[in-house]
Amino acid sequence: MSERQEQVRQTSQKPDFSVVPNAMSNVKRVIGVMSGKGGVGKSLVTAMLATLMNRRGYRTAVLDADITGPSIPKIFGVEQNKAEAIEQGIVPVRTKSGIAVMSINFLLENPTDPVVWRGPLIAGAIRQFWSDVVWGNVNYMFVDLPPGTGDAPLTIFQSLPVNGIVIVTSPQALVSMIVSKAVKMAQMMNVPIIGVVENMSYFTCPDCGKQTNIFGESHIQDAAAKYGIDLVSRLPLDPRISALTDQGLIEEFDEDWLTVFADRLEVMEG
Ligand SMILES: Nc1ncnc2c1ncn2[C@@H]1O[C@H](COP(=O)(O)OP(=O)(O)O)[C@@H](O)[C@H]1O
Ligand SMILES: [Mg+2]
């Protein structure tokens, strides 16, 4: 057994949700958004799911656990904000539509400073985002996990009571392998997979409406079916999306690509 497998075995045998939430927090459902690698749109999907649930009237939060590559503040256009500390803990920053967000950026003096910490320090920061942030009452908290299926996401599953996982992939990625890794990790951690999002899946010509699979035919349905995942969405590569994320206006997106995910989350127990 490799060191990694051994570690996973130990942690799965002894699930440790010992990180106590802040006394002022009551978080009903925690959804982890996971990807096989960076740059596939994990933060985008996190932000869009949070926006959808917030629009439906639920108290919504985003915990940016991608400590070395935090992009949630920029997507929501709050990257210049600083988190305020009160006696009870750290107060999350509110987005324009009222989503509560915590990111390492809000604690750095300069948001462009690189975070060059090692694993244990990063894990400590994520735990503190759970224990020291005054989240208040939250119906849905979305966790933008660090990319991959290694140590960093593992730490989060050990520390936070994650209720479900959304997997984000791109069509170029070895989808089947990524899904299988995520499924294995989820099984070991006893967390259900809610569904898979294939981002940058196709491009629709703005002039003629023709849909092109830029990276070849999608295999996402097959990969999902193989692991018994019935919820799949495909997001197009769309310049309007990059414009909204660049301008920090993701809360204005107006597409129904992830509506089926919001419907599923709405019936989730919490
Ligand atoms: N479907 C899409 N259409 C256009 N641009 C996209 C799309 N998905 C992601 N992007 C852009 O790609 C970049 C990476 O996305 P991001 O969500 O930050 O990825 P990750 O969190 O997985 O690293 C961002 O600049 C984003 O605007
Ligand atoms: Mg990201």
Side-chain angles (χ1 to χ4, degrees), residues 84-153:
E84 195 196 334
I86 58 171
E87 200 182 315
Q88 291 85 355
I90 306 165
V91 182
V93 167
R94 292 276 168 184
T95 68
K96 293 180 261 305
S97 70
I99 299 168
V101 178
M102 191 60 214
S103 172
I104 195 72
N105 267 3
F106 303 146
L107 304 174
L108 297 175
E109 203 166 314
N110 182 349
T112 56
D113 285 348
V115 176
V116 287
W117 302 343
R118 291 183 193 279
L121 214 51
I122 290 175
I126 293 166
R127 289 199 189 96
Q128 283 198 328
F129 283 0
W130 185 246
S131 59
D132 296 358
V133 173
V134 184
W135 290 106
N137 288 320
V138 173
N139 297 116
Y140 292 94
M141 173 184 280
F142 295 91
V143 182
D144 188 358
L145 295 171
T149 44
D151 272 333

Side-chain angles (χ1 to χ4, degrees), residues 65-209:
D66 195 350
I67 301 289
T68 54
S71 54
I72 288 294
K74 174 142 180 40
I75 288 181
F76 284 107
V78 291
E79 71 268 34
Q80 296 305 327
N81 292 51
K82 292 280 165 280
E84 195 196 334
I86 58 171
E87 200 182 315
Q88 291 85 355
I90 306 165
V91 182
V93 167
R94 292 276 168 184
T95 68
K96 293 180 261 305
S97 70
I99 299 168
V101 178
M102 191 60 214
S103 172
I104 195 72
N105 267 3
F106 303 146
L107 304 174
L108 297 175
E109 203 166 314
N110 182 349
T112 56
D113 285 348
V115 176
V116 287
W117 302 343
R118 291 183 193 279
L121 214 51
I122 290 175
I126 293 166
R127 289 199 189 96
Q128 283 198 328
F129 283 0
W130 185 246
S131 59
D132 296 358
V133 173
V134 184
W135 290 106
N137 288 320
V138 173
N139 297 116
Y140 292 94
M141 173 184 280
F142 295 91
V143 182
D144 188 358
L145 295 171
T149 44
D151 272 333
L154 193 62
T155 300
I156 293 157
F157 288 110
Q158 287 176 264
S159 315
L160 311 191
V162 181
N163 299 103
I165 298 171
V166 173
I167 304 171
V168 184
T169 73
S170 61
Q172 321 92 300
L174 298 164
V175 174
S176 186
M177 193 185 76
I178 287 161
V179 174
S180 102
K181 277 191 181 175
V183 167
K184 273 184 200 139
M185 189 155 177
Q187 281 169 348
M188 283 188 255
M189 295 295 147
N190 238 330
V191 180
I193 291 179
I194 295 164
V196 187
V197 178
E198 184 176 70
N199 187 26
M200 312 189 202
S201 187
Y202 57 92
F203 177 75
T204 305
C205 172
D207 297 325
C208 70

Side-chain angles (χ1 to χ4, degrees), residues 35 38-44 46 64 66 69-72 75 144-147:
S35 70
V40 299
K42 179 171 50 64
S43 300
L44 168 74
T46 306
D64 185 359
D66 195 350
S71 54
I72 288 294
I75 288 181
D144 188 358
L145 295 171

Side-chain angles (χ1 to χ4, degrees), residues 219-257:
H219 300 290
I220 191 70
Q221 290 287 1
D222 296 342
K226 188 172 161 193
Y227 297 101
I229 301 167
D230 66 339
L231 187 62
V232 173
S233 278
R234 294 173 66 205
L235 261 59
L237 190 62
D238 190 329
R240 291 173 304 171
I241 290 294
S242 26
L244 286 178
T245 58
D246 287 352
Q247 295 163 25
L249 296 174
I250 195 60
E251 287 155 293
E252 292 181 12
F253 88 93
D254 187 21
E255 303 289 343
D256 56 11
W257 302 314

